[in-house]
Amino acid sequence: VEVERKFTINSETEPLLVKLGAKAKSTKTFTDIYFDDDDYSLTLSDCWLRKRNNDYQMKIPVPNSPIFDHSTKYQELTNNTDILQFLKKKLGVSSNQLSGLIQTAKVIEFAKITTTRKTYSLNGCEIDLDMTDHGFQVGEIEVMAESPSQISEALRTIENMSVKLG
């Protein structure tokens, strides 16, 4: 389970991470294309179908997780078969292939975003600093929980990191 919290970044964020001892892991650029149907059935239920560098990914909220706290919890599907099965149920469309389902359900591109991401690690957290091609900047603190029972501990770790980052 991916547990994450977004935060606002500015020119002081990266130097603060370095000062706190964060280790730079990578810098990469990628393009995400987001898809939904005409009714935004996926997006309005906090489900995100995207294609990143030619691979489909589906982020779905963790069942029975409160949606009004400061952190989000998603299960990320990266296998086309898993994505297909989820979308068949969610959109009520039958198909044996993801590309066929996308056509049948009239799922279309609604956003295309190119992002440069700098990733750091610090105290059990991955911290991403994202800058998009249209000027939007956002940070994300992420902790992976092996099971739903570990979400509370992941949230505490994220909260501690949030305090350090101000």
Side-chain angles (χ1 to χ4, degrees):
V1 176
E2 186 178 278
V3 183
E4 59 191 33
R5 179 178 296 171
K6 306 279 189 212
F7 66 99
T8 304
I9 63 174
N10 57 41
S11 61
E12 299 170 13
T13 304
E14 195 167 7
L16 177 58
L17 280 169
V18 172
K19 182 179 175 184
L20 291 171
K23 304 283 188 249
K25 290 180 66 177
S26 64
T27 299
K28 57 186 170 187
T29 300
F30 52 87
T31 299
D32 288 333
I33 301 171
Y34 287 87
F35 298 88
D36 210 335
D37 61 13
D38 287 341
D39 296 326
Y40 293 96
S41 302
L42 300 173
T43 308
L44 290 174
S45 58
D46 199 22
C47 298
W48 303 92
L49 175 62
R50 69 179 174 212
K51 192 174 191 181
R52 177 174 287 172
N53 299 334
N54 296 320
D55 293 321
Y56 283 100
Q57 300 173 341
M58 184 86 226
K59 291 179 83 164
I60 58 175
V62 173
N64 303 320
S65 180
I67 59 171
F68 298 111
D69 64 11
H70 296 289
S71 301
T72 56
K73 300 121 195 126
Y74 290 104
Q75 178 181 2
E76 191 166 319
L77 307 177
T78 56
N79 177 298
N80 281 1
T81 302
D82 294 339
I83 295 169
L84 176 66
Q85 293 307 313
F86 176 81
L87 290 174
K88 284 167 75 170
K89 289 179 190 172
K90 183 73 177 166
L91 299 175
V93 177
S94 183
S95 181
N96 292 327
Q97 292 187 333
L98 187 54
S99 59
L101 182 137
I102 286 172
Q103 287 180 332
T104 304
K106 297 182 179 151
V107 171
I108 59 168
E109 173 184 328
F110 73 89
K112 184 175 186 177
I113 303 166
T114 299
T115 303
T116 298
R117 172 174 288 166
K118 293 183 178 182
T119 301
Y120 290 86
S121 63
L122 180 64
N123 298 337
C125 299
E126 274 212 357
I127 301 149
D128 293 329
L129 306 179
D130 289 351
M131 168 69 96
T132 68
D133 56 345
H134 54 275
F136 182 73
Q137 298 181 90
V138 68
E140 179 181 280
I141 303 167
E142 179 182 303
V143 175
M144 294 300 291
E146 295 297 317
S147 68
S149 66
Q150 294 178 336
I151 290 175
S152 294
E153 181 60 32
L155 288 168
R156 280 191 291 278
T157 302
I158 288 171
E159 181 61 30
N160 291 337
M161 183 57 62
S162 297
V163 170
K164 289 179 182 179
L165 293 175

